[in-house]
Amino acid sequence: MDETQPRDDTTYCETAPLGGAPAAGAPEGPFAECVLCRAPTEYPESTRGSTLCPVCEWQEAQRAACSG
């Protein structure tokens, strides 16, 4: 890299806006409940199958990984 030109670090990594704004393409509206703890999930209500919140999803993955 040429050291005589100033670096433009603003285009290196774009971050999500602060304040909890939804990401582009994120579903809006009512979210499905977790089938284990009934917390809201990141999936819309129209999602089929067993929906898990991020915490329960991580715990299930840990159980499956350690089950042998």
Side-chain angles (χ1 to χ4, degrees), residues 29-50:
F31 294 99
E33 288 184 347
C34 176
V35 295
L36 298 178
C37 69
R38 302 185 59 96
T41 66
E42 54 192 22
Y43 305 107
E45 279 186 343
S46 61
T47 303
R48 291 184 171 185
S50 298

Side-chain angles (χ1 to χ4, degrees), residues 2-29:
D2 187 12
E3 294 296 327
T4 59
Q5 296 178 346
R7 290 177 44 181
D8 183 15
D9 290 334
T10 59
T11 59
Y12 178 73
C13 181
E14 293 184 21
T15 59
L18 297 177
E28 294 181 14

